[in-house]
Amino acid sequence: MKHSFYTLCIAVLLLFSCNTDDDLFIPATPEVEGPYATGFLVTNEGPFSNGFGTVDHIDENLTTVTSSIYQAVNNDNLGNIVQSLTMTDDTVYVITNVSSRITVVEKDTFEEIIQITEGLNNPRNMVIIGDNGYVTNWGDPAIATDDYVAVLDLNTNEIVSTIAVAEGPEEIVAKDGVIYVAHQGGFGVNNIVSVISSEQENVVTTIEVGDVPNSLQFDTAGRLVVLASGAPAFTGNETGGQFTIIDTDTNTAVETVLFTNTEHPNFLNVVGDDVFYYLGGAVYKTTVADFTTTSTAIISGSFFYNMTILSDGTLAGCNAADFASNGTVELYDTTTGTLLNTLNVGIVPGNVYEIN
Amino acid sequence: MKHRFLFIVVVLCALTTVAQIDTLQVLPEVILSDVKLQNHSVGIALNKISDSTIQRSRTALTEVLRANSTIYFRENGPGGVASASFRGTNAAQTAVVWNGININSQLTGQSDFNTLLSKNYDQLDVRAGGGSIIYGSGAVGGSVHLGNDIRFNKGLNTTVTAGYGSFDTQIATAKTQFSNTNFYIDAGLDYQRSENDFDYLDTENQFNENGQYDNLNAIFNMGYLLKNKGNRTHLLKLHHNTYVGNRNFSGTLTAPSNDGYEDRNTRTLAVWENLGTRFNGKLRAAHIFEQFRYFANNQTDDNDLGKSIRYLANYEATYKLDRKKELTVIGEVNHISAAGASIVATTRNQGSLVALWKQQLTHKFTYEFQARQELVEGFDSPFLLGAGFDYAFAKAYTLTFNGSKNYRIPTFNDAYWSGPGAVGNPDLKPETSLQAEIGLKRTHKNLTLGLRGFYINTDDLIQWQPNLSGIWSPINIADTEHYGIEWELDYTASIGNHKVTTTAQYAYTKAEDVARGKQLIYVPAHKAILSIAHNYGRLSSYVQTSFVDRVFTTTDNTAQVDGYAIANLGTSYDILHKQGTKLQVMARVNNLFNTNYQTVAFRPNPGRNFLLQTTITF
């Protein structure tokens, strides 16, 4: 059954790439920066189970949204559930989860280069080291043992190898050729970070963190900061959130801060010495060095599906509303906690990315 | 014996005369499984789907009702999950009633109309409007009724149908029944399977992958005249239904699927009827079982199971004060247990008391009052009141009115779900609705015309939303307002040996979320159907057309599925037509103009397709 689906995907791929090939072979025109060379990109998951996700563009001033830019440029859609995107200097890789597809586009124009489907199975997030992309894949969500990190050759746009990992790999980051994967656990619960050598293409070690590690970033000292939300009540074994700092030289947890059993924090953002996280409709700010779960909320009464602190310090919160209509990106001043602007984006906005 | 049988007929006739001003077809020799339907729908429109109409379509109720009623079906492709939207209400606000018992799933509160097979039932009725007082939770927008009759003195007869259609669709139906003066028995099978791998129109290589289904519906009914002496008759009845369905859920234009799904449902109902000239008592006991297995990957045996078992006992007493006044009291108890992979194993007891007062004031004016109080463990169920009248104010014209309060209690999923990313909410309140409708009906000779206006106001609609921790959970959040117009025409003309029957229906539905002021998703503002059938001797032909307006697919009305018009065409010929024996061949073309249409976004429907059937009756 799966095979016939892949055959279909390839068939569709061939079909669509015929159209784009025409564009690709137009004689090179003088280098002009396309409309999307600067500003921000928003991934919108799109409606669950039917329909497709989109990518919106927001201008540098965070005022004007251009909707569904991939569709507008390519007269095609990105597929079902746009999970994340990753960019290099000139290329954007948009990962579509249910459609198991990576759509490769020119960064400044969003013109499609190719669609990759072979070798992907429920892809989630990608990190780039040199000429390779590393993509977390759930595999079949019902099977705990088929999860992997796919290695994408960015020159050939082919998956060249896979690295088997534990259940539910989600966020992925890298430093000095070493890859760190947070195992959120897919539809279940997991509590580890996998450390992968990009050279050896194998798992060097796993580090235990809190249940359901949802975000991981490096601090200014190069240590890995992990936020786990804890196991939710419906698992029958509820655990609280956990903040963990990992020394990447020894791959051990050097600091752990526990939340109470019913607190499930999310959306870690490390900005300089500060840490922002989201819990129960409020945004909290504390510090890496002296992480506390008892700081005062800087923003409350919000309803975020994700949040990102942009480089100018603005907080971009994705509000998916009722998940069945267009969402918004809410921009907040993190110093004063005031709402600066609300931008209308697509259905179920999942993240905001700064074009750099 | 004959006399005794006649007696029942007289009793039933008397009942229906008392009850009816509407000219509904009630065959006097037929003992209906749910007399309430005809008897307690004062001011409400009932629309009977004829047997010949049912025989024309493939068996899924979705297909029959989509072409023959103004109900909108949100169907995930042929064979997939299909839910009904009646007057703009949601899937859990349409009740399916089997032999008088509401059989909506205890888990989801809905009925999947692709798991209900239409053949082998004797009655298929569509009742528009509120019916919670007599049919319980969920009969808000309307209800669909399936009934098996008992008929004595009919001897032995059997009908067998075999059919083959596009996408390797195979159909087999058989029903045999036997009755003498005091005993009735029937058994029937209704089976269909399909590869269902139709091409998606206007795409190059895409087709309906993973859409295979097969399902079997078996029925068994018995009636026994226990005692039929003087002015008292005792009758025992048994109705049974088993449904076994296996299907894969097809993908969409943008998302593949390898899901699988199994349904196993059984329903058994035993009735003791004690009928007299002034007093009728009916004792019912029922066992209703539903079970599904969901396979996230149909190549593996891993699955999630959910099931519920329901025991029901019900006593219905009708006392006729005189020929024109009757009081009915119904007491019912239910014991329901549910369990599953994602549901906390739990039980729920509920009891209800219903009182119905009906009076024919003059030969032109009949009114009815209805009341219901239900007690449900863990929930405060509202007190329901309803009233209706039929007023035949002029020759051939009837003015009808009905107003009622209706409700839907939170389902087991709503209250006790506990699965990945979602959790139920035991603190929910029932949804309630206040509704009214007024209608005008003209019945004259071979022409029936109906025009109705309705208004529904629902409060505390249950919707699933992520809470602040990102866990999906149901809350009483939305209020909606619905109003609209329904118009219908039935016309039969005979010229010589030619007979032409025309049915036309149109519904205008405005259904808005009160807070947003936007049309609810998957509610078309306009739906119309038109069927014309022609019969000449052994040859019959028909054309069915339906027009459905666009529907919005997002709550802010920014995305839509386009409207469509489709036509089906069919013909049948009786090769053999003798006393008691009939051999008929039928051919049908669905979607004659090869229209590319969707009822749910990104789920295409088949283009032009064919069905051949042969039926033998002996």
Side-chain angles (χ1 to χ4, degrees):
Chain A
M1 208 60 80
K2 270 283 179 207
H3 288 295
S4 55
F5 168 65
Y6 288 132
T7 321
L8 173 73
C9 285
I10 295 158
V12 173
L13 177 64
L14 287 172
L15 164 72
F16 287 128
S17 27
C18 291
N19 300 330
T20 45
D21 280 352
D22 297 342
D23 302 333
L24 285 178
F25 295 122
I26 290 172
T29 43
E31 195 75 27
V32 179
E33 277 206 340
Y36 311 122
T38 58
F40 304 86
L41 296 173
V42 182
T43 49
N44 302 296
E45 289 187 1
F48 189 69
S49 89
N50 54 28
F52 51 83
T54 55
V55 172
D56 295 339
H57 176 260
I58 305 175
D59 74 326
E60 278 175 286
N61 303 321
L62 287 164
T63 51
T64 312
V65 179
T66 310
S67 299
S68 308
I69 55 174
Y70 172 81
Q71 267 162 284
V73 172
N74 300 286
N75 194 27
D76 189 6
N77 68 68
L78 287 163
N80 194 232
I81 309 297
V82 170
Q83 190 68 33
S84 65
L85 64 78
T86 308
M87 53 188 107
T88 63
D89 288 343
D90 52 8
T91 313
V92 177
Y93 299 84
V94 184
I95 298 181
T96 314
N97 167 23
V98 177
S99 295
S100 286
R101 168 177 142 191
I102 296 176
T103 309
V104 187
V105 297
E106 301 278 1
K107 192 173 179 181
D108 58 343
T109 63
F110 246 68
E111 276 173 26
E112 182 175 302
I113 298 165
I114 196 170
Q115 297 180 8
I116 303 160
T117 53
E118 192 78 13
L120 298 169
N121 192 354
N122 267 310
R124 309 292 297 183
N125 296 282
M126 178 162 104
V127 71
I128 290 167
I129 303 174
D131 285 341
N132 284 335
Y134 297 85
V135 187
T136 50
N137 282 263
W138 277 13
D140 184 332
I143 299 172
T145 53
D146 68 344
D147 303 47
Y148 62 94
V149 171
V151 184
L152 173 67
D153 183 327
L154 302 184
N155 295 317
T156 62
N157 285 317
E158 280 176 1
I159 304 293
V160 289
S161 59
T162 60
I163 304 159
V165 295
E167 169 76 331
E170 197 66 56
E171 296 286 336
I172 184 166
V173 294
K175 193 187 75 165
D176 305 331
V178 180
I179 301 160
Y180 301 87
V181 177
H183 291 265
Q184 208 169 314
F187 289 136
V189 172
N190 206 342
N191 66 342
I192 56 166
V193 169
S194 287
V195 183
I196 296 169
S197 157
S198 64
E199 247 170 55
Q200 307 286 324
E201 293 194 353
N202 64 2
V203 178
V204 178
T205 184
T206 58
I207 305 159
E208 196 169 308
V209 291
D211 286 336
V212 193
N214 58 63
S215 31
L216 71 175
Q217 290 185 1
F218 296 105
D219 70 0
T220 48
R223 299 180 303 173
L224 186 64
V225 182
V226 182
L227 183 66
S229 56
F234 66 77
T235 57
N237 188 18
E238 186 172 10
T239 56
Q242 187 176 324
F243 172 86
T244 308
I245 300 176
I246 293 165
D247 181 333
T248 52
D249 294 331
T250 60
N251 285 330
T252 51
V254 290
E255 190 171 341
T256 296
V257 181
L258 295 174
F259 288 77
T260 67
N261 217 31
T262 54
E263 289 180 327
H264 303 293
N266 230 323
F267 316 144
L268 172 85
N269 276 265
V270 178
V271 182
D273 295 333
D274 295 330
V275 178
F276 295 82
Y277 67 91
Y278 179 81
L279 172 64
V283 178
Y284 296 88
K285 181 184 176 184
T286 178
T287 59
V288 179
D290 189 17
F291 188 91
T292 168
T293 64
T294 53
S295 60
T296 314
I298 57 164
I299 298 165
S300 58
S302 61
F303 186 67
F304 292 157
Y305 191 53
N306 201 349
M307 69 173 201
T308 306
I309 312 283
L310 307 175
S311 60
D312 70 348
T314 306
L315 182 148
C318 296
N319 184 340
D322 64 356
F323 288 72
S325 58
N326 284 336
T328 55
V329 168
E330 294 169 3
L331 300 168
Y332 285 89
D333 183 321
T334 48
T335 323
T336 61
T338 47
L339 178 65
L340 304 170
N341 200 2
T342 301
L343 302 170
N344 295 315
V345 295
I347 297 174
V348 190
N351 211 350
V352 179
Y353 301 83
E354 206 151 354
I355 300 169
N356 48 32
Chain B
M1 270 311 188
K2 283 265 175 191
H3 297 297
R4 290 169 192 173
F5 173 61
L6 249 176
F7 172 68
I8 299 183
V9 172
V10 172
V11 169
L12 283 169
C13 281
L15 256 177
T16 44
T17 339
V18 172
Q20 293 297 133
I21 287 182
D22 272 353
T23 55
L24 286 156
Q25 281 183 320
V26 179
L27 295 172
E29 77 268 27
V30 175
I31 298 160
L32 297 167
S33 62
D34 182 23
V35 179
K36 277 201 303 295
L37 177 63
Q38 311 294 336
N39 216 355
H40 295 290
S41 295
V42 175
I44 294 261
L46 275 182
N47 188 7
K48 186 173 171 54
I49 311 285
S50 75
D51 195 44
S52 58
T53 303
I54 296 170
Q55 295 309 325
R56 283 170 192 155
S57 304
R58 281 190 291 188
T59 186
L61 207 51
T62 316
E63 191 163 316
V64 177
L65 292 177
R66 190 169 49 201
N68 297 293
S69 76
T70 52
I71 302 175
Y72 181 75
F73 284 94
R74 219 172 136 166
E75 186 186 28
N76 285 351
V81 173
S83 62
S85 173
F86 218 138
R87 295 183 168 176
T89 59
N90 65 37
Q93 294 174 335
T94 298
V96 173
V97 177
W98 170 80
N99 289 317
I101 294 173
N102 183 333
I103 55 161
N104 277 13
S105 165
Q106 296 297 319
L107 303 172
T108 64
Q110 311 177 6
S111 280
D112 179 349
F113 280 74
N114 274 336
T115 66
L116 295 163
L117 304 189
S118 63
K119 308 277 169 74
N120 291 341
Y121 292 103
D122 301 305
Q123 309 288 339
L124 172 56
D125 295 276
V126 176
R127 186 187 193 270
S132 285
I133 297 176
I134 52 175
Y135 293 114
S137 173
V140 176
S143 45
V144 172
H145 299 255
L146 298 164
N148 295 102
D149 301 338
I150 304 287
R151 306 151 194 252
F152 294 107
N153 278 322
K154 288 288 175 186
L156 175 69
N157 62 73
T158 302
T159 301
V160 179
T161 299
Y164 187 80
S166 304
F167 326 123
D168 200 11
T169 302
Q170 293 157 33
I171 291 171
T173 308
K175 184 178 180 181
T176 188
Q177 54 190 28
F178 169 77
S179 63
N180 58 24
T181 49
N182 59 2
F183 182 68
Y184 172 89
I185 188 166
D186 76 41
L189 290 174
D190 186 357
Y191 174 78
Q192 63 169 354
R193 65 166 300 278
S194 179
E195 280 303 306
N196 198 23
D197 54 352
F198 57 90
D199 291 333
Y200 290 167
L201 298 177
D202 307 323
T203 67
E204 288 284 334
N205 284 308
Q206 280 188 281
F207 66 99
N208 197 51
E209 262 193 286
N210 200 53
Q212 305 87 336
Y213 62 84
D214 67 73
N215 42 46
L216 175 72
N217 194 49
I219 60 151
F220 175 73
N221 300 286
M222 248 169 69
Y224 181 62
L225 212 47
L226 207 62
K227 180 189 167 207
N228 189 18
K229 249 190 194 138
N231 53 9
R232 191 125 303 269
T233 296
H234 289 272
L235 177 67
L236 287 180
K237 299 197 295 191
L238 181 72
H239 299 290
H240 175 79
N241 199 132
T242 293
Y243 175 83
V244 177
N246 303 304
R247 55 183 161 165
N248 293 338
F249 286 155
S250 65
T252 65
L253 279 171
T254 55
S257 163
N258 58 354
D259 299 357
Y261 203 80
E262 287 180 3
D263 289 283
R264 303 286 183 268
N265 303 328
T266 71
R267 301 184 269 275
T268 309
L269 166 68
V271 189
W272 169 38
E273 294 194 1
N274 167 5
L275 308 172
T277 44
R278 294 185 80 89
F279 176 79
N280 290 341
K282 292 173 186 175
L283 178 67
R284 299 183 180 89
H287 173 266
I288 296 162
F289 172 78
E290 60 172 310
Q291 177 186 293
F292 72 83
R293 280 179 197 276
Y294 170 71
F295 297 78
N297 177 352
N298 59 28
Q299 301 302 298
T300 70
D301 282 335
D302 294 334
N303 62 77
D304 284 341
L305 177 141
K307 65 177 177 180
S308 85
I309 299 167
R310 174 177 164 210
Y311 295 95
L312 171 156
N314 163 314
Y315 190 75
E316 178 181 331
T318 301
Y319 182 68
K320 289 184 278 287
L321 280 77
D322 57 42
R323 277 183 59 85
K324 291 176 177 172
K325 295 193 203 84
E326 67 171 64
L327 175 69
T328 302
V329 177
I330 307 167
E332 181 171 307
V333 287
N334 279 273
H335 173 77
I336 308 155
S337 55
S342 301
I343 192 164
V344 182
T346 182
T347 62
R348 179 190 274 180
N349 292 308
Q350 59 193 62
S352 61
L353 197 62
V354 174
L356 312 169
W357 168 258
K358 184 172 164 180
Q359 182 177 11
Q360 189 183 347
L361 266 185
T362 71
H363 69 284
K364 289 179 176 172
F365 189 88
T366 300
Y367 73 90
E368 176 165 23
F369 287 113
Q370 304 186 332
R372 178 191 186 100
Q373 180 62 56
E374 188 166 73
L375 294 170
V376 187
E377 244 181 327
F379 297 97
D380 284 329
S381 202
F383 176 64
L384 306 181
L385 265 183
F389 69 73
D390 290 331
Y391 176 42
F393 63 93
K395 191 187 173 193
Y397 287 92
T398 308
L399 178 71
T400 59
F401 169 83
N402 190 286
S404 60
K405 184 170 181 175
N406 297 278
Y407 78 118
R408 176 172 91 81
I409 55 169
T411 64
F412 278 77
N413 283 358
D414 290 334
Y416 310 116
W417 184 268
S418 182
V423 63
N425 176 3
D427 300 325
L428 289 168
K429 291 184 286 187
E431 297 176 352
T432 57
S433 76
L434 280 175
Q435 54 199 89
E437 61 185 279
I438 189 157
L440 190 61
K441 194 167 185 179
R442 181 186 190 278
T443 309
H444 186 63
K445 289 180 182 164
N446 47 10
L447 175 69
T448 305
L449 277 167
L451 180 66
R452 289 182 298 280
F454 66 85
Y455 175 81
I456 306 173
N457 191 318
T458 66
D459 283 336
D460 296 324
L461 245 69
I462 297 166
Q463 286 179 359
W464 285 72
Q465 291 189 349
N467 62 22
L468 289 172
S469 309
I471 308 293
W472 289 72
S473 191
I475 45 172
N476 293 100
I477 180 86
D479 298 339
T480 62
E481 198 170 49
H482 312 234
Y483 56 88
I485 289 168
E486 291 162 350
W487 173 88
E488 68 209 13
L489 171 149
D490 284 293
Y491 179 67
T492 307
S494 296
I495 307 154
N497 290 327
H498 295 268
K499 185 178 162 192
V500 177
T501 311
T502 304
T503 302
Q505 293 179 19
Y506 165 75
Y508 169 76
T509 311
K510 191 81 187 160
E512 285 187 352
D513 181 292
V514 173
R516 282 176 175 272
K518 298 281 187 189
Q519 180 88 344
L520 298 178
I521 59 169
Y522 290 103
V523 177
H526 307 277
K527 179 176 175 181
I529 57 158
L530 171 67
S531 300
I532 301 169
H534 169 256
N535 174 264
Y536 176 71
R538 295 181 175 197
L539 182 68
S540 295
S541 306
Y542 64 90
V543 58
Q544 290 176 334
T545 57
S546 48
F547 165 79
V548 180
D549 196 14
R550 66 155 183 214
V551 292
F552 294 110
T553 60
T554 55
T555 54
D556 53 1
N557 291 2
T558 52
Q560 67 177 58
V561 169
D562 292 338
Y564 61 88
I566 52 166
N568 306 321
L569 187 72
T571 188
S572 70
Y573 183 73
D574 295 351
I575 295 171
L576 187 69
H577 198 152
K578 287 196 298 193
Q579 185 73 37
T581 309
K582 193 166 116 174
L583 174 61
Q584 186 184 60
V585 288
M586 300 169 99
R588 177 180 167 98
V589 187
N590 284 312
N591 193 1
L592 183 66
F593 300 111
N594 209 31
T595 307
N596 185 5
Y597 71 103
Q598 298 172 358
T599 57
V600 170
F602 300 96
R603 291 192 176 273
N605 276 298
R608 186 182 302 115
N609 63 91
F610 305 91
L611 179 67
L612 285 171
Q613 290 189 95
T614 304
T615 301
I616 307 166
T617 307
F618 55 90

